[in-house]
């Protein structure tokens, strides 16, 4: 009887709420499916933008957040770190296609609450990240660990910026992004598919070594792709 009670009490301690902060439908659906199979998950929630994420955190301050930072409008790593400090009981899994090395260093060195796994990692690594976060343990996938140890350049690392970094098509799309247009709006204006514009967007962010629209906009202004007068219309 004692053993049963102890096991029940221990398992109840491991039950965690999860917030999926990702507005990419296919990856969100995949993560929801994986989490729905985990007995340690007590509640599954969704957030499609930063405002919804903060609202969910207010209601569930001890949740595990699975966040695709690149798809949310954070002003930078500092804002994410401040959010973590505000909700100290939460645990975070950074779950993206690409993250710059500078961003990873800044965030991962700021708190043990942040772990990271990439969307192209194996199912086993993704599951390990989930299980570690459930137990309030940090997991950093092998690829990111090697990057942090070596400091070598890769698709995750920030690239040096120059005028030849982007193609003309990418510059045109970056200008539209900097002017506040959504991927759907850009696709409609250019008579291209959402997938095509989204792929360009990812390539632009990867080449620039940035993680969000705010950082991409700053580059666009510095490079003269969009001027201040046009930006503030």
């Amino acid at each position: 009887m004692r053993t049963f009670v102890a096991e029940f009490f221990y398992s109840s301690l491991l039950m965690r709420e999860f917030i999926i902060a990702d507005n990419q439908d296919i990856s969100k659906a995949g993560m929801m499916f994986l989490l729905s199979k985990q007995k340690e998950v007590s509640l599954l929630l969704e957030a499609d933008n930063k405002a919804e994420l903060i609202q969910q955190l207010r209601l569930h301050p001890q949740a595990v957040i699975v966040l695709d930072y690149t798809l949310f409008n954070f002003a930078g790593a500092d804002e994410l770190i401040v959010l973590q400090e505000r909700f100290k009981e939460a645990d975070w899994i950074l779950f993206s296609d690409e993250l710059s090395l500078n961003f990873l260093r800044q965030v991962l060195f700021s708190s043990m609450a942040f772990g990271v796994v990439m969307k192209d990692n194996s199912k086993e690594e993704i599951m390990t990240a989930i299980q570690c976060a459930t137990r309030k343990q940090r997991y950093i996938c092998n690829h990111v660990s090697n990057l942090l140890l070596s400091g070598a350049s890769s698709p995750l690392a920030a690239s040096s910026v120059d005028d030849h970094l982007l193609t003309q098509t990418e510059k045109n799309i970056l200008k539209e992004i900097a002017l506040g247009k959504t991927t759907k709006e850009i696709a409609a204006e250019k008579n291209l598919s959402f997938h095509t514009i989204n792929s360009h967007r990812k390539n632009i962010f990867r080449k620039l070594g940035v993680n969000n629209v705010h950082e991409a906009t700053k580059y666009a202004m510095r490079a003269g792709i969009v001027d201040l007068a046009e930006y503030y219309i």
Side-chain angles (χ1 to χ4, degrees):
M1 180 66 178
R2 287 180 182 176
T3 302
F4 174 79
V5 171
E7 288 180 354
F8 178 80
F9 179 72
Y10 179 71
S11 63
S12 66
L13 287 177
L14 291 180
M15 296 292 286
R16 299 292 301 273
E17 300 163 329
F18 276 75
I19 302 170
I20 313 303
D22 190 336
N23 55 31
Q24 191 175 58
D25 290 342
I26 188 66
S27 62
K28 180 166 63 177
M31 181 58 72
M32 295 286 285
F33 175 79
L34 287 177
L35 288 170
S36 69
K37 303 296 182 182
Q38 304 306 302
K39 61 182 180 181
E40 297 90 353
V41 178
S42 62
L43 184 63
L44 271 175
L45 303 157
E46 299 180 40
D48 288 334
N49 54 57
K50 186 171 63 176
E52 289 182 8
L53 173 58
I54 293 171
Q55 183 180 15
Q56 294 285 22
L57 277 169
R58 287 173 179 157
L59 296 172
H60 309 279
Q62 297 182 334
V64 177
I65 303 96
V66 181
L67 171 68
D68 189 336
Y69 173 86
T70 63
L71 299 180
F72 278 46
N73 61 329
F74 284 98
D78 288 337
E79 186 181 7
L80 179 59
I81 292 168
V82 168
L83 188 61
Q84 183 276 320
E85 291 174 347
R86 180 178 174 188
F87 298 98
K88 290 185 178 293
E89 296 303 312
D91 292 282
W92 300 75
I93 301 173
L94 301 175
F95 184 57
S96 297
D97 287 315
E98 50 201 2
L99 293 166
S100 71
L101 186 55
N102 288 340
F103 169 83
L104 288 166
R105 283 173 173 158
Q106 187 174 352
V107 172
L108 294 178
F109 293 164
S110 72
S111 172
M112 291 293 292
F114 290 109
V116 61
V117 65
M118 309 309 295
K119 287 187 176 181
D120 61 356
N121 282 153
S122 66
K123 177 183 175 182
E124 288 71 26
E125 275 206 280
I126 293 171
M127 290 305 306
T128 299
I130 291 170
Q131 291 159 5
C132 286
T134 301
R135 293 164 172 77
K136 300 193 74 67
Q137 299 170 350
R138 196 229 287 265
Y139 179 79
I140 299 174
C141 68
N142 291 331
H143 184 56
V144 172
S145 295
N146 291 335
L147 275 178
L148 292 171
L149 289 172
S150 67
S153 296
S154 82
L156 291 179
S159 306
S160 59
V161 175
D162 60 50
D163 188 48
H164 305 292
L165 199 57
L166 303 179
T167 66
Q168 188 57 51
T169 298
E170 289 169 340
K171 289 178 181 178
N172 292 338
I173 291 172
L174 174 57
K175 179 177 180 178
E176 302 300 318
I177 292 171
L179 292 174
K181 295 179 182 178
T182 65
T183 302
K184 185 176 181 180
E185 289 171 337
I186 298 169
E189 287 182 8
K190 295 186 176 298
N191 198 27
L192 295 170
S193 71
F194 177 93
H195 176 74
T196 298
I197 300 299
N198 196 45
S199 294
H200 280 305
R201 175 191 170 110
K202 289 181 180 180
N203 287 334
I204 291 166
F205 281 27
R206 174 180 55 79
K207 288 182 178 182
L208 300 184
V210 302
N211 299 302
N212 55 53
V213 171
H214 177 76
E215 293 172 355
T217 300
K218 288 196 295 185
Y219 171 89
M221 289 181 173
R222 289 197 306 268
I225 293 172
V226 60
D227 61 45
L228 291 176
E230 196 173 15
Y231 181 70
Y232 286 111
I233 288 175

